Amino acid sequence: MREYLLTLCVTAAVTYLLTGPVRKFAIAAGAMPEIRARDVHREPTPRLGGIAMFGGLCAGLLVAAHLTNLNEVFELSNEPRALLSGAGLIWLLGVLDDKWGVDALIKLGGQMIAAGVMVLQGLTILWLPVPGIGTVSLTPMQGTLLTVALVVITINAVNFVDGLDGLASGMVCIAAAAFFMYAYRIWFGYGLESAAPATLFAAILMGMCLGFLPHNMHPARIFMGDSGSMLIGLVLAAGAISITGQVDPDAMKLYYDGSERAAVHATVPVYIPLLLPLTVIAVPVADLILAIVRRTWRGQSPFAADRGHLHHRLLEIGHSHSRAVLIMYFWSALIAFGAVAFSVNSTSMWIVLTIVALSAVGLVLLLLPRFTPRAPRWAERFVPPRYRRSARREAVEVEPAPIVTEPEASSEASERTPVPAGAHGATAVGDRSRFSHGPKIGA
């Protein structure tokens, strides 16, 4: 555990220290695109944060390779090298997209190539525990197709949810923490060395996200871009593939009557949450599915960007930026850690009741903007101003506008600068160019 924590801390420190120089490089390189219609930030923000995250990944793998116990992961398995190869390809594709923009189909093809590179180096699904049947061995073609599908789904799910400051990195960090708890239990509790690579991947992924989060929290100073979102999605998928398709359920020896079917039934609560990481990143995957259905229903491309994601809807309901992010964190943690708790003891009724109770709390949090609670008069000094009755009355009272004669009004109106439609207090003006252009040479 000390070596895993050391790897996590080194990865987080390197990512944190690299993000500042990477931000300056992104500004100098011009990786600051114009504000798009679906964006929620108001000023151009540099991207390419994935460069710092990739540096943290390389540093974590390098440190782990020189530690006494974790060195065995590199000696007994080729999965860390497979992860580094696939991560390098997907990171390079993301950097090109952040700077110049890459077509959606080209990005999809690059994701499939990165997954194929990992498969060629041994990071693939070999078998699956199927309820009622047993452990099903997959052919090389079946394992390759399933691995590529899992990588592509996870990458795009994380990429789709990257719409608010700190949202994607925080949600993936929560998923990685739950993943680490599960993988470490399999490796240490059952003594299965084949679960060690997945545990290492989870620790490094947590370090990458924790090191980048201080720079990415609202208001963000830098975005991870596609170079970061696709990278952390690939690392999360690699860990799920490693522990789901490489760990043999028979080695856990969870037999009740000596049959393989009973063993699979006993391990279903353990393996189903990570068979496809839909429960660990259930919120991004749900957002991905809803986006595909919504765009296809409208006759648009499934890759066409819009403002219909879950985080956009939270803002439209009335939640603030920070509250919307925290709500998404809450649901991700509830689903991820609930799945891990269910895998530990699937027969406990307390786990189910706790999950149901926390789900009710989450629904109440979602509906908070529908009503504005007011504190009693004796407690007004202890609550924020927006919950005080006196502040509400002061906001309603508006001073009457001064009476202006018609000549003065006409002269004043002629001197005013017309305000375009769509102006608001956040930008002070309406649509305008986000960059100031000086006079051209020779003008």
Side-chain angles (χ1 to χ4, degrees):
M1 178 60 75
R2 288 194 300 267
E3 294 186 356
Y4 282 123
L5 293 179
L6 177 61
T7 304
L8 187 154
C9 293
V10 170
T11 304
V14 172
T15 304
Y16 178 81
L17 296 176
L18 285 179
T19 305
V22 167
R23 180 179 182 273
K24 296 181 179 179
F25 169 76
I27 296 175
M32 298 175 62
E34 292 278 349
I35 305 297
R36 300 166 295 184
R38 61 189 175 95
D39 292 333
V40 297
H41 57 281
R42 300 300 183 185
E43 296 296 334
T45 305
R47 295 184 179 180
L48 296 178
I51 297 179
M53 303 181 82
F54 184 72
L57 171 66
C58 296
L61 291 176
L62 181 62
V63 169
H66 290 82
L67 296 178
T68 304
N69 295 321
L70 294 184
N71 183 36
E72 298 178 358
V73 177
F74 296 83
E75 295 178 352
L76 302 178
S77 174
N78 199 39
E79 294 180 9
R81 300 176 184 84
L83 171 66
L84 186 60
S85 301
L89 290 176
I90 206 70
W91 169 77
L92 180 60
L93 177 64
V95 170
L96 296 177
D97 182 58
D98 290 339
K99 180 61 179 71
W100 292 285
V102 178
D103 185 72
L105 293 179
I106 297 179
K107 286 197 295 184
L108 180 63
Q111 295 167 7
M112 298 175 68
I113 292 175
V117 169
M118 293 194 301
V119 171
L120 291 177
Q121 298 190 47
L123 186 57
T124 183
I125 298 177
L126 302 178
W127 48 67
L128 289 176
V130 180
I133 299 178
T135 303
V136 177
S137 299
L138 302 178
T139 63
M141 180 59 67
Q142 292 173 342
T144 300
L145 293 177
L146 188 57
T147 302
V148 172
L150 177 59
V151 171
V152 172
I153 290 174
T154 309
I155 289 176
N156 287 281
V158 175
N159 192 18
F160 272 39
V161 83
D162 184 23
L164 296 179
D165 298 347
L167 181 58
S169 52
M171 292 181 63
V172 174
C173 184
I174 293 172
F179 187 90
F180 177 82
M181 293 173 59
Y182 169 78
Y184 186 80
R185 173 175 173 264
I186 297 298
W187 172 72
F188 183 78
Y190 294 96
L192 300 181
E193 293 295 334
S194 54
T199 312
L200 176 62
F201 297 165
I204 292 177
L205 183 57
M206 275 194 293
M208 295 165 60
C209 297
L210 290 176
F212 186 74
L213 262 177
H215 300 274
N216 192 231
M217 294 300 293
H218 183 70
R221 301 178 67 249
I222 185 174
F223 293 152
M224 67 172 65
D226 284 1
S227 59
S229 60
M230 293 196 299
L231 175 63
I232 61 179
L234 181 134
V235 177
L236 184 60
I241 291 169
S242 175
I243 201 167
T244 304
Q246 301 286 336
V247 176
D248 188 1
D250 296 340
M252 299 177 67
K253 300 179 180 179
L254 296 178
Y255 291 95
Y256 286 91
D257 57 2
S259 65
E260 185 180 7
R261 178 175 300 182
V264 172
H265 276 295
T267 57
V268 162
V270 178
Y271 281 92
I272 289 301
L274 296 173
L275 180 61
L276 293 175
L278 299 180
T279 55
V280 175
I281 52 170
V283 176
V285 170
D287 194 13
L288 171 65
I289 296 174
L290 291 175
I292 293 176
V293 173
R294 179 178 63 253
R295 295 165 184 174
T296 306
W297 183 266
R298 296 176 180 175
Q300 301 175 347
S301 170
F303 303 100
D306 57 12
R307 286 183 59 89
H309 294 289
L310 296 178
H311 49 271
H312 291 142
R313 295 181 181 274
L314 289 176
L315 296 178
E316 293 174 358
I317 290 175
H319 292 286
S320 64
H321 190 292
S322 300
R323 185 187 291 176
V325 172
L326 292 177
I327 288 176
M328 298 286 279
Y329 285 176
F330 173 83
W331 282 105
S332 299
L334 176 61
I335 297 174
F337 289 102
V340 173
F342 184 74
S343 69
V344 175
N345 189 358
S346 60
T347 61
S348 177
M349 184 59 63
W350 289 106
I351 296 176
V352 178
L353 295 178
T354 303
I355 295 175
V356 172
L358 292 177
S359 300
V361 173
L363 293 177
V364 172
L365 294 177
L366 289 175
L367 299 176
L368 274 180
R370 297 298 183 183
F371 61 92
T372 305
R374 296 297 171 186
R377 296 185 182 277
W378 60 268
E380 285 188 354
R381 66 179 63 183
F382 305 106
V383 297
R386 62 178 177 273
Y387 297 121
R388 300 173 185 173
R389 300 177 186 274
S390 58
R392 187 179 183 182
R393 286 196 303 268
E394 293 174 1
V396 174
E397 296 177 359
V398 180
E399 296 182 0
I403 300 175
V404 182
T405 59
E406 187 172 349
E408 294 177 353
S410 60
S411 62
E412 185 180 354
S414 62
E415 295 176 359
R416 291 176 181 171
T417 302
V419 180
H424 47 80
T427 57
V429 295
D431 298 333
R432 62 181 174 88
S433 176
R434 298 291 174 174
F435 299 96
S436 59
H437 303 281
K440 296 181 180 180
I441 299 177

